Amino acid sequence: MSQKEYQYLKTARSFLVLGEMDKACVHYAKVSQDHPGEVAEAEFFEAYMGYQSLLAENDTASAVNAFRAMAACVENAVKCVKASDEEEIGKILIVTAMVQAYVPVTRYLYTRRISTSSSTIETGVLGLYALGDAIKNAFGANPETMKQAAEAWKEGVSIQQQFHAYKYQGARAEDYAAKIQKVEPNYTMPSKAGCISVAK
């Protein structure tokens, strides 16, 4: 990575730490376009920017593809943040922004009838579990990052309990509920929903 691209990455992280998501995504996109597939953190936020833009343009099929791109790189994106030369508080804020960006997406897609397929729902839930797992694996017992991991896991469990008939590659809501309870001892797993019918 050249000094120019490295500076784009540093600038993106600085904006993200300041809560300037849109400005951060623009700079992440510059990194991703110059080095496609090389910086997962940039790929994640570029996909998020694409998802938001495509929704605004009513290009829902492409927005779902952008969502899938986000889900595909959550694990490596967290690893990228962990390996960065940011201070620890900066890393926590970047991971928090990742959680805030990704967690609402799956529920939004099916509640707005943008995509109600089992594939979309399973991809979303597995991405939520992967995001939480990656945070735990990268940051260990840091209580601030574990709160973020729990947020991702909780949404995954909630959706899986609603659409409990799908396969989720064998991932079990009960296992993730147990992980959440290590962070939030008072957490109670939602009950399974009644008969849910969505498109295949």
Side-chain angles (χ1 to χ4, degrees), residues 89-102:
I89 185 63
K91 294 179 183 181
I92 293 169
L93 291 171
I94 294 166
V95 166
T96 300
M98 289 183 63
V99 170
Q100 291 173 345
Y102 187 74

Side-chain angles (χ1 to χ4, degrees), residues 19 21 29 61 65 73 109-110 138 156 172 185 199:
M21 176 70 82
N65 288 336
C73 64
L109 289 174
Y110 72 76
R172 291 169 16 102

Side-chain angles (χ1 to χ4, degrees), residues 52-70:
Q52 295 286 9
S53 298
L54 291 161
L55 280 183
E57 295 167 7
N58 291 317
D59 186 352
T60 54
S62 297
V64 172
N65 288 336
F67 151 73
R68 292 182 182 280
M70 290 173 66

Side-chain angles (χ1 to χ4, degrees), residues 14 35 39 61 63 67-69 92 99 117-118 124 141 144 164 169 176:
S14 296
H35 295 272
V39 185
F67 151 73
R68 292 182 182 280
I92 293 169
V99 170
S117 70
S118 60
E144 291 305 312
H164 52 81
Q169 296 179 10
Y176 281 90

Side-chain angles (χ1 to χ4, degrees), residues 122 160-168 192 196 200:
E122 286 177 297
Q160 187 172 0
Q161 288 294 88
Q162 184 174 355
F163 299 96
H164 52 81
Y166 298 153
K167 298 187 184 301
Y168 303 100
K192 289 182 178 178
I196 299 291
K200 296 288 185 188

Side-chain angles (χ1 to χ4, degrees), residues 53-189:
S53 298
L54 291 161
L55 280 183
E57 295 167 7
N58 291 317
D59 186 352
T60 54
S62 297
V64 172
N65 288 336
F67 151 73
R68 292 182 182 280
M70 290 173 66
C73 64
V74 290
E75 182 177 358
N76 286 333
V78 172
K79 289 179 180 178
C80 189
V81 174
K82 178 62 177 177
S84 75
D85 57 4
E86 295 294 313
E87 294 183 2
E88 195 69 10
I89 185 63
K91 294 179 183 181
I92 293 169
L93 291 171
I94 294 166
V95 166
T96 300
M98 289 183 63
V99 170
Q100 291 173 345
Y102 187 74
V103 165
V105 174
T106 306
R107 190 175 296 274
Y108 184 87
L109 289 174
Y110 72 76
T111 57
R112 296 300 296 266
R113 311 299 292 177
I114 294 165
S115 178
T116 59
S117 70
S118 60
S119 175
T120 295
I121 292 166
E122 286 177 297
T123 295
V125 168
L126 292 173
L128 289 160
Y129 290 161
L131 178 56
D133 288 346
I135 292 169
K136 180 180 184 297
N137 291 339
F139 292 93
N142 182 306
E144 291 305 312
T145 52
M146 285 307 299
K147 288 178 186 176
Q148 300 307 316
E151 288 304 307
W153 291 332
K154 282 192 290 187
E155 181 69 350
V157 169
S158 177
I159 296 172
Q160 187 172 0
Q161 288 294 88
Q162 184 174 355
F163 299 96
H164 52 81
Y166 298 153
K167 298 187 184 301
Y168 303 100
Q169 296 179 10
R172 291 169 16 102
E174 294 83 359
D175 294 338
Y176 281 90
K179 292 183 181 187
I180 296 163
Q181 287 167 345
K182 291 180 180 178
V183 182
E184 299 181 13
N186 294 328
Y187 170 79
T188 301
M189 183 172 68

